[in-house]
């Protein structure tokens, strides 16, 4: 059933990726289909291996080491954790912003649910290694990018690292981190879609188009980076606290230091967002200010992305 669900999920998004009929979009759809089909097949294979050795088909109760290893790798491939991350930036770059938003949030929900359900069956050592590598490579490879969709893809990879490292010890924290990440990413994608920005050079001149929207984008980006008075700090704080309780202080220190890499490119995005004069020596066309009102969805999402930290005691009681 898990395999069937993942397959239906994959097939449903393919027309959305390839609808523009651009070669990049078709390439992205092909890459997405191949990796997701391989990952779904691995889920089936891990369950079969376990049934072969133990007679148990239930993927939430895997006991055979090989099948645990295969299942961990399969879900990591589905999500785009390092070293199975190569498809994600390419697919996101070949998709329009709205499809990119679905790929970064809704399409991560089924594998995340599987990860939550099978957390007891997964290989803890492999998961921790994948998590630290994801946080490192997500931050490191995002440094040199000029395409905003690729930067957001690498940001997603480093966030997945944070989610994966805490999964074994406190699966609910993984889900909380995922929900907050989804809210913040949705706010960023919708804002960029409103201002029609795809590259850093376009972002430099976007300030005059919608100043108030860009100010909120600055705060949402800093929240994604996990800076203290904003919502994004909450999951990072709780994860570091939980890791320290579990005698994983070195891992907590390492992943915190690695998040500084992604902070750098968030700051670069934030700087480009709020720069009021485009740094061009040539005569440059100023953008006209739009009179369109900001959509209610963006307003609500950015407010939640920025102001949820004071409500953390309430969130913790729910979690």
């Amino acid at each position: 059933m898990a395999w069937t669900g993942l397959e239906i999920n994959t097939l449903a998004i393919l027309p959305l990726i390839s609808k523009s009929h651009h070669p990049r979009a078709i390439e992205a759809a092909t890459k997405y289909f191949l990796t997701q089909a391989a990952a779904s097949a691995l889920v089936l294979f891990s369950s079969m291996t376990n049934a072969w050795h133990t007679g148990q088909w239930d993927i939430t109760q895997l006991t055979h080491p090989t099948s645990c290893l295969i299942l961990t790798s399969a879900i990591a491939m589905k999500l785009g954790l390092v070293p199975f991350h190569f498809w994600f930036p390419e697919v996101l770059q070949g998709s329009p912003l709205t499809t990119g938003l679905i790929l970064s949030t809704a399409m991560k929900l089924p594998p995340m649910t599987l990860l939550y359900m099978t957390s007891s069956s997964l290989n803890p050592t492999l998961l921790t290694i994948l998590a630290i590598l994801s946080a490192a490579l997500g931050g490191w490879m995002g440094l040199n990018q000029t395409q905003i969709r690729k930067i957001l893809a690498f940001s997603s990879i480093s966030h997945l690292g944070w989610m994966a490292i805490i999964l074994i010890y406190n699966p609910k924290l993984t889900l909380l981190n995922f929900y907050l990440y989804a809210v913040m990413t949705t706010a960023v994608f919708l804002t960029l879609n409103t201002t029609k920005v795809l590259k850093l050079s376009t972002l430099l001149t976007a300030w005059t188009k919608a100043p108030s929207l860009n100010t909120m984008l600055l705060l949402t980006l800093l929240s994604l980076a996990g800076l203290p008075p904003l919502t994004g700090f909450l999951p990072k704080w709780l994860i570091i606290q939980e890791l320290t309780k579990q005698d994983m202080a070195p891992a907590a220190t390492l992943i915190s230091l690695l998040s500084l890499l992604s902070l750098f490119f968030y700051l670069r995005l934030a700087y480009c967002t709020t720069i009021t004069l485009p740094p061009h020596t040539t005569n440059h066309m100023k953008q006209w200010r739009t009179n369109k009102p900001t959509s209610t969805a963006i307003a609500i999402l950015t407010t939640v992305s920025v102001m949820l930290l004071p409500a953390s005691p309430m969130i913790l009681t729910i979690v």
Side-chain angles (χ1 to χ4, degrees), residues 33-290:
F33 173 72
L34 290 173
T35 45
Q36 298 300 311
S40 303
L42 278 176
V43 170
L44 207 56
F45 182 53
S46 74
S47 146
M48 237 158 53
T49 313
N50 196 60
W52 180 271
H53 286 283
T54 61
Q56 172 64 268
W57 278 97
D58 190 349
I59 55 169
T60 57
Q61 296 173 28
L62 297 185
T63 47
H64 194 258
T66 314
S67 47
C68 293
L69 204 67
I70 296 169
L71 185 69
T72 312
S73 307
I75 299 178
M77 195 186 288
K78 271 275 174 207
L79 285 168
L81 279 167
V82 174
F84 312 107
H85 67 288
F86 295 102
W87 63 271
F88 190 50
E90 298 296 322
V91 170
L92 217 60
Q93 183 56 34
S95 318
L97 277 169
T98 41
T99 311
L101 163 63
I102 296 169
L103 279 169
S104 299
T105 53
M107 297 304 289
K108 292 268 163 73
L109 192 58
M112 198 50 86
T113 314
L114 269 183
L115 206 60
Y116 179 72
M117 283 167 56
T118 59
S119 55
S120 55
S121 307
L122 301 173
N123 185 315
T125 319
L126 180 64
L127 210 56
T128 308
I129 292 167
L130 293 185
I132 288 173
L133 283 176
S134 298
L137 276 163
W140 188 37
M141 292 175 80
L143 294 178
N144 208 19
Q145 301 296 334
T146 55
Q147 297 287 339
I148 289 176
R149 281 168 297 185
K150 276 199 173 175
I151 292 178
L152 288 170
F154 287 117
S155 125
S156 177
I157 292 166
S158 63
H159 274 274
L160 283 170
W162 280 87
M163 291 174 217
I165 200 165
I166 199 64
L167 182 79
I168 303 293
Y169 308 107
N170 193 338
K172 284 186 176 175
L173 266 187
T174 300
L175 285 188
L176 173 71
N177 194 348
F178 177 70
Y179 297 146
L180 291 178
Y181 160 74
V183 166
M184 293 183 287
T185 307
T186 309
V188 171
F189 268 106
L190 290 178
T191 308
L192 294 172
N193 195 38
T194 308
T195 49
K196 297 284 175 279
V197 168
L198 293 174
K199 297 198 294 288
L200 281 181
S201 54
T202 329
L203 193 61
L204 286 168
T205 59
W207 172 266
T208 44
K209 230 182 194 179
S212 53
L213 195 59
N214 273 30
T215 312
M216 288 312 289
L217 178 60
L218 159 81
L219 289 171
T220 315
L221 284 167
L222 292 179
S223 182
L224 257 180
L227 288 181
L230 308 167
T231 307
F233 177 60
L234 173 62
K236 283 191 166 54
W237 168 36
L238 293 175
I239 286 170
I240 291 169
Q241 191 180 354
E242 186 65 34
L243 283 174
T244 316
K245 277 183 195 166
Q246 301 287 350
D247 287 337
M248 292 272 286
T253 312
L254 189 57
I255 204 164
S256 310
L257 287 171
L258 290 171
S259 71
L260 291 174
L261 287 170
S262 36
L263 173 65
F264 179 81
F265 64 73
Y266 287 123
L267 282 175
R268 199 172 76 178
L269 274 175
Y271 173 72
C272 292
T273 306
T274 47
I275 196 166
T276 44
L277 284 173
H280 283 279
T281 46
T282 53
N283 290 333
H284 195 274
M285 289 287 284
K286 283 283 195 298
Q287 301 271 359
W288 281 98
R289 190 168 290 203
T290 52

